[in-house]
């Protein structure tokens, strides 16, 4: 063991721990508190989402990992121990300097890191490279001379084959150059995102998808798309730079550079440095209890997705070693490393994994997981249980081909469905498609991210780590040992790890029960400062502008002239449909021209008589019940529509207020023009905003009900949006935003259906 001094247990030392709120950090803090009674711990914690570090530590100590220790110590005692032995330093590891650190630190365990494989390049560098620089500079400035245990990862070795030794990495990447260029990327990408050709493309796409919801929605979507573009480019920059240098992703790339920083700034200044490189850390084998885990870790999304039946295959070599290691063994190894400090200026490296002494092949993991789910299948959303697929390991290329053709088919299906009229059947298809798309997105994301890990042909040699384990006195092995040979994989995967991660799945299966829950009408709180706003067509009545026009027009014509009227309307229909798809206001304007020359008084008379009765017959009963529920709760009920006021007079009694379009008249005759722009898409939202201000309404408490994507701005304005009988685009939006979707029994037919159906129209 060159460079190692003999093992001495940690006794009476002061440890500075970074990353204490994370998975490994929690396990480390717990072990220090429960098994090292003379050790003091300073935690470097950043403030987050408005919570200062001190408060975060209090929350941390209530987490499940500490439960056995807290219970064994008793409420008053554990709090006393924390007061005496634990202190907090608030600090963020990044480009700015840290606060002054204590001068009496003996050991630093630097575990803080961003561990995401697909972080934007500047963020990954800020924590994993800059943060390391600032930490070691702050330690040096504090005048302390601790032994630093720098937590890295086995995968810093990059994409290579064969046995990797526990020694300094062999690469020529210069951390200063890479850090400077990573810092410069964002400005460059932001500039690129604002180039006219990029913006033109983004805006055209936003118009095609969102023009129905209004110009501001288009502008907002374009800006969101630009930001997404920037975020994706920042990720791409990290990934491609990493891969060009032989690392699978920005995480392993920046961790490798972080090691160089530690070697140069800490060991290079004749100080003691140990670099610990764990492999894939998963749930505890024994301590603090078998199966402790803090959320899903690296292998777990795949395990759960497989149990849910959404992974028909996954890229990977069946004989590749998936190097998993329980978190308690990693903590024990790190503490043994901390206790056996190396010589100053001669860093020591330790792999902590299972691949060398007790390898688990990818196929072995798969077989154990399959056996587990065969014995404990996940529920299939009220339709029995999921039958997990059998993998044939066809190889990465074949899986990629399968994935690409499924993605293409799903994109085509989406385009077709978005053009279909809203109906329960369309919704069912859309819902199945959304599920399929989300499964494909999952598969795409993880097969891209994990490719290098599931196809790895490496073994991380752990001779140094094992030698350290052998130095443990026999009496300490049970509690502090970390030999991976002690793991029985079948027992670990099937009896410890799989039960632990499936327990994290809400309701044990993501597709169960949500549909039934979403159809139950929620309780309405009694409030006077709340309005419930209803769209008309498709939401309150199963009718539309075309149908009401036909009712009005045909009732004034002899039957002999119906054919001519219908033929004229049929010829104009494609134009109307195009206008409606583009902009609902354009459609209303174009269509209402048909009323040119009609007498206002005559139409009013019709509306009070046959038209009114026809309209009332079209009212959707569930809508009326919902209006009444709101009224009973003291809410102001408002009908808001692009239809003309004359035609909706019969509904006036149902609502407190009706807001409709008005036609321009000259001498009592409609000119075919509107008196003011129609209240559609953003105009509705603007109207409600002003009305809420004037009437003192609390928009967050208000409700809105709409059926079309053009209702999106109105729905987004209130705290309780409800998509009623939604068209496919609104349905997709509602599902993504988690809005309730209600099917109130009647879907309004599209304009074309209304026309074709007219044979059945029987005005008196
Ligand atoms: N988990 C694994 O499978 C695995 C495998 C090999 C190596 N490792 C290494 O083990 C270490 C811990 O990983 P983990 O799995 O415990 O990760 P984790 O659960 O994501 O925890 C990361 C910790 O780092 C802190 N942190 C992140 N960015 C920070 C910043 N800018 N300033 C201050 N604190 C920051 C986080 O604090 P917040 O709570 O404020 O976010 C959290 O405490 C890392 O160095 C990682 O590379 C992990």
């Amino acid at each position: 063991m060159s460079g190692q001094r003999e093992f001495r247990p940690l006794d009476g030392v002061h440890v500075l721990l970074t990353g204490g709120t994370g998975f490994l950090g929690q396990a480390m803090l717990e072990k220090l508190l429960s098994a090292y009674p003379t050790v003091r711990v300073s935690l470097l914690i950043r403030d987050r989402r408005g919570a200062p570090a001190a408060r975060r530590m209090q929350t941390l100590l209530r987490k499940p990992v500490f439960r056995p220790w807290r219970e064994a110590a008793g409420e008053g005692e554990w709090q006393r121990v924390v007061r005496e032995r634990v202190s907090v330093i608030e600090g963020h590891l990044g480009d700015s300097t840290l606060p002054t650190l204590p001068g009496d630190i003996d050991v630093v365990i630097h575990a803080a890191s961003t561990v995401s494989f697909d972080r934007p390049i500047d963020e990954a560098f800020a924590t994993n490279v800059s943060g390391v620089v600032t930490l070691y500079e702050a330690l040096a400035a504090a005048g302390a001379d601790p032994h630093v245990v720098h937590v890295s990862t086995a995968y810093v070795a990059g994409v290579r084959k064969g046995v990797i030794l526990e020694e300094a990495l062999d690469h020529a990447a210069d951390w200063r150059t890479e850090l400077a260029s990573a810092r410069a990327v964002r400005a460059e990408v932001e500039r690129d995102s604002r180039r006219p050709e990029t913006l033109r493309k983004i805006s055209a796409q936003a118009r095609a998808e969102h023009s129905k919801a209004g110009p501001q929605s288009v502008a907002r979507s374009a800006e969101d798309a630009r930001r997404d573009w920037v975020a994706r480019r920042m990720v791409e920059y990290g990934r491609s730079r990493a891969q060009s240098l032989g690392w699978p992703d920005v995480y392993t790339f920046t961790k490798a550079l972080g090691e160089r920083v530690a070697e140069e700034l800490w060991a290079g200044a004749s100080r003691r440095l140990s670099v610990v490189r764990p492999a894939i850390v998963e749930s505890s084998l024994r301590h603090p209890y078998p199966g402790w885990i803090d959320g899903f870790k690296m292998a777990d999304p795949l395990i759960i997705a497989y149990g849910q039946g959404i992974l028909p295959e996954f890229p990977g070599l069946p004989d590749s070693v998936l190097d998993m290691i329980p978190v308690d063994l990693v903590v024990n190894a790190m503490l043994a490393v901390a206790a056996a400090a190396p010589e100053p200026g001669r860093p020591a490296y330790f792999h902590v994994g299972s691949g060398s002494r007790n390898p688990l092949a990818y196929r072995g993991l798969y077989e154990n997981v399959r056996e587990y789910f065969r014995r404990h299948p996940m529920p299939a959303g009220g339709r029995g249980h999921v039958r997990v697929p059998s993998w044939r390991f066809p190889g990465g290329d074949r899986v990629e081909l399968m994935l690409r053709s499924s993605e293409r088919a799903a994109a085509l299906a989406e385009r077709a469905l978005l053009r279909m009229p809203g109906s329960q059947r369309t919704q069912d298809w859309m819902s199945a498609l959304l599920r399929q798309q989300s499964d494909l997105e999952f598969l795409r994301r993880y097969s891209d991210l994990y490719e290098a890990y599931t196809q790895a042909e490496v073994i991380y040699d752990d001779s140094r780590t094992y030698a350290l384990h052998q130095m443990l006195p026999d009496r300490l092995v049970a509690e502090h040992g970390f030999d991976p040979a002690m793991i029985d994989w079948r027992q670990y995967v099937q009896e410890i790890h799989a039960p632990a991660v499936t327990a994290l799945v809400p309701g044990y299966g993501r597709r169960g029960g949500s549909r039934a829950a979403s159809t139950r009408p929620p309780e309405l709180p009694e409030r006077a400062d709340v309005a419930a706003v209803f769209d008309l067509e498709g939401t309150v009545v199963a009718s539309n502008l075309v149908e009401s026009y036909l009712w009005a027009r045909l009732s004034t014509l002899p039957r002999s002239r119906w054919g001519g009227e219908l033929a004229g309307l049929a010829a104009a229909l494609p134009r109307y449909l195009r206008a409606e798809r583009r902009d609902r206001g354009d459609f209303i304007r174009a269509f209402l021209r048909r009323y040119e020359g009609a007498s206002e008084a005559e139409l009013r008379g019709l509306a009070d008589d046959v038209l009114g009765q026809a309209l009332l017959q079209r009212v959707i009963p569930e809508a009326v019940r919902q209006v009444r529920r709101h009224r009973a709760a003291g809410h102001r009920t408002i009908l808001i529509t692009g239809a003309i006021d004359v035609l909706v007079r019969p509904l006036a009694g149902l609502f407190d207020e009706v807001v409709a379009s008005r036609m321009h008249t000259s001498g009592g005759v409609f000119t075919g023009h509107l008196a003011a722009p129609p209240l559609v898409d953003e105009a509705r939202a603007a109207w409600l905003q002003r009305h809420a201000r004037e009437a003192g309404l609390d928009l967050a408490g208000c409700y809105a009900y709409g059926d079309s994507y053009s209702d999106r701005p109105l729905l987004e304005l209130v705290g309780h949006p409800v998509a009623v009988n939604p068209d496919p685009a609104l349905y997709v939006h509602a599902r993504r935003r988690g809005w309730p979707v209600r099917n109130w029994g009647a879907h309004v037919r599209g304009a074309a259906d209304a026309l074709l159906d007219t044979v059945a129209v029987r005005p008196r």
Side-chain angles (χ1 to χ4, degrees), residues 62-330:
R62 301 268 170 195
K63 293 193 81 168
V65 67
F66 299 101
R67 197 190 312 126
W69 169 69
R70 282 195 323 255
E71 285 173 0
E75 187 70 18
E77 178 60 10
W78 77 257
Q79 296 204 4
R80 187 192 62 76
V81 169
V82 168
R83 272 195 306 277
E84 279 181 9
R85 293 176 50 202
V86 183
S87 50
V88 181
I89 302 161
E90 185 163 297
H92 183 102
L93 291 164
D95 294 329
S96 46
T97 48
L98 285 171
T100 307
L101 299 177
D104 64 342
I105 299 166
D106 303 295
V107 172
V108 173
I109 298 176
H110 176 40
S113 171
T114 166
V115 297
S116 162
F117 295 170
D118 54 357
R119 253 285 183 299
I121 187 167
D122 54 346
E123 293 176 18
F125 267 83
T127 302
N128 293 353
V129 182
S130 252
V132 179
V133 175
T134 52
L135 176 66
Y136 296 145
E137 282 175 354
L139 281 170
D145 185 24
H147 168 205
V148 170
V149 178
H150 178 100
V151 185
S152 185
T153 162
Y155 296 94
V156 284
V159 185
R160 51 180 92 207
K161 293 185 182 184
V163 175
I164 315 281
L165 298 179
E166 293 165 293
E167 55 190 32
L169 298 171
D170 173 21
H171 68 81
D174 175 54
W175 67 265
R176 285 192 174 80
T177 311
E178 297 303 325
L179 176 60
S181 106
R183 281 175 174 157
V185 168
R186 191 166 287 275
E188 194 181 311
V189 171
E190 282 286 348
R191 209 171 34 244
D192 287 350
S193 77
R194 289 171 166 85
R195 288 187 200 285
E197 48 284 11
T198 316
L199 290 176
R200 260 200 302 276
K201 232 187 268 168
I202 285 173
S203 299
Q205 178 80 17
R207 259 195 311 280
E209 288 174 10
H210 305 285
S211 63
K212 225 176 150 180
Q216 282 305 310
S217 299
V218 170
R220 262 198 303 277
S221 305
E223 180 56 9
D224 287 349
R226 190 195 64 78
R227 286 208 196 100
D228 286 351
W229 186 87
V230 169
R232 273 198 312 276
R233 290 289 287 168
M234 294 300 292
V235 171
E236 264 175 52
Y237 264 86
R239 190 152 204 241
S240 41
R241 182 60 187 144
Q243 291 182 347
S244 75
L245 291 167
W247 281 281
D249 44 53
V250 76
Y251 166 63
T252 46
F253 174 37
T254 52
K255 292 293 285 186
L257 297 183
E259 284 194 12
R260 279 284 190 272
V261 174
E263 287 156 0
E264 190 184 315
L265 299 193
W266 199 249
S270 296
R271 297 177 191 270
R272 291 163 298 160
L273 173 71
S274 297
V275 177
V276 175
R277 298 177 183 149
I280 301 169
V281 187
E282 293 289 349
S283 63
S284 298
L285 183 66
R286 294 180 182 155
H287 188 84
Y289 51 84
W292 172 74
I293 193 162
D294 183 51
F296 292 141
K297 300 301 153 197
M298 185 177 161
D300 311 329
L302 292 190
I303 292 177
I304 296 300
Y306 177 77
Q308 287 173 328
I310 64 176
L311 286 187
E313 279 294 346
F314 197 76
L317 300 171
D319 53 3
S320 150
V321 170
L322 205 76
D323 203 325
M324 300 207 313
I325 182 84
V327 63
D328 44 347
L329 301 201
V330 180

Side-chain angles (χ1 to χ4, degrees), residues 525-530 628-636 656:
E526 292 194 13
R527 285 179 68 171
D529 61 344
V530 155
R628 293 203 175 119
R629 277 188 205 115
H630 281 291
R631 284 190 138 177
H635 305 169
R636 180 166 184 76
D656 297 315

Side-chain angles (χ1 to χ4, degrees), residues 336-347:
V337 168
E343 283 172 24
R346 296 190 59 191

